[in-house]
Amino acid sequence: MGYEAILFDNDGVLTHPTPTTVVRRGVREAFAAFDVEPTTEAVDRVVHGGLTDLRRICDHHDLDHEAFWPHREARVAAAQRRAMETGEKPLYTDVDALTDLDVPLGVVSNNQAETVEGVLAAFDLGDRFDVAYGRTPTIEGFRRRKPEPHYLEAALDDLGVDDALFVGDSNADLLAASRADCDAAFVRRPHRADYDLAADPDHVIDSLADLPAIC
């Protein structure tokens, strides 16, 4: 089965998932920029919750959530870059298998665009990918995350292809691929050993090293 291009999620696919402790550090630094010391519960609601949780926490501390948001994005992205440098967020070793793929490659991540750029720089992957997308540091950018197909469709438009494969590790990835009319490959990393799939992907793989055989 031939594809015109292959696109990849980042966290849990190219790099190990970001530890929650790393994201917490970034969120605390964002609040510190406003001289606010939130409780651990409040921090976790910002880390794991949606925009409604964010508004409630910001309202509680008399902060404008729209003014706070860019700080949150920048500080969390910076915390993740440091985690790459210290080894807290390493690259999966099977990313080397991508050299055996002779079609255009791309990255489409729900993480910040700044974090995606940091991954390409930290692990010297800039020349390996033809296009890379993360979310813009705005509330609208957050809303456009997968399973919305916005960034995936933008990457496909940039590459000028119709028949592509998207490799992910979540139901959000599979749904985004379906909405963008892409085939989907689910990579079952150890952290997804017991993960329940909401739909059957076109391929299930254990490693990126399996891709050349199916592509």
Side-chain angles (χ1 to χ4, degrees):
M1 180 179 295
Y3 291 104
E4 295 178 288
I6 305 174
L7 299 104
F8 299 83
D9 179 38
N10 175 54
D11 300 279
V13 176
L14 301 178
T15 64
H16 286 247
T18 305
T20 300
T21 52
V22 172
V23 184
R24 283 180 181 140
R25 285 200 295 267
V27 170
R28 286 193 180 278
E29 290 172 4
F31 276 113
F34 293 87
D35 294 323
V36 170
E37 294 185 14
T39 64
T40 298
E41 179 184 1
V43 169
D44 282 347
R45 286 174 65 186
V46 173
V47 170
H48 300 294
L51 294 175
T52 298
D53 292 297
L54 175 74
R55 289 192 197 96
R56 287 173 178 167
I57 298 300
C58 286
D59 287 347
H60 177 74
H61 292 287
D62 198 25
L63 295 178
D64 181 342
H65 73 279
E66 292 187 355
F68 174 78
W69 185 257
H71 288 269
R72 182 233 189 262
E73 293 291 81
R75 301 306 174 99
V76 171
Q80 291 183 92
R81 287 200 307 274
R82 294 194 299 269
M84 294 174 217
E85 294 167 358
T86 62
E88 286 182 277
K89 184 176 175 63
L91 191 72
Y92 284 107
T93 57
D94 59 7
V95 171
D96 288 342
L98 273 56
T99 59
D100 296 326
L101 301 172
D102 59 357
V103 295
L105 306 180
V107 181
V108 180
S109 172
N110 272 355
N111 218 320
Q112 298 90 3
E114 187 176 348
T115 299
V116 174
E117 292 168 4
V119 168
L120 300 185
F123 301 112
D124 197 24
L125 296 175
D127 292 337
R128 194 166 299 183
F129 293 99
D130 299 87
V131 63
Y133 274 89
R135 69 179 190 243
T136 57
T138 63
I139 289 178
E140 185 60 27
F142 182 80
R143 291 193 180 105
R144 288 174 167 173
R145 296 173 306 152
K146 294 168 290 182
E148 294 302 315
H150 175 82
Y151 293 113
L152 186 52
E153 289 174 341
L156 294 172
D157 286 344
D158 284 351
L159 293 172
V161 299
D162 296 313
D163 186 13
L165 176 70
F166 185 56
V167 183
D169 74 325
S170 71
N171 284 316
D173 292 327
L174 302 184
L175 182 52
S178 176
R179 290 175 172 176
D181 199 23
C182 288
D183 278 8
F186 177 79
V187 56
R188 195 173 285 281
R189 299 288 196 191
H191 71 282
R192 293 302 201 200
D194 300 319
Y195 189 77
D196 292 327
L197 294 176
D200 292 330
D202 299 280
H203 311 279
V204 177
I205 59 178
D206 295 316
S207 166
L208 299 184
D210 297 330
L211 285 173
I214 67 172
C215 297

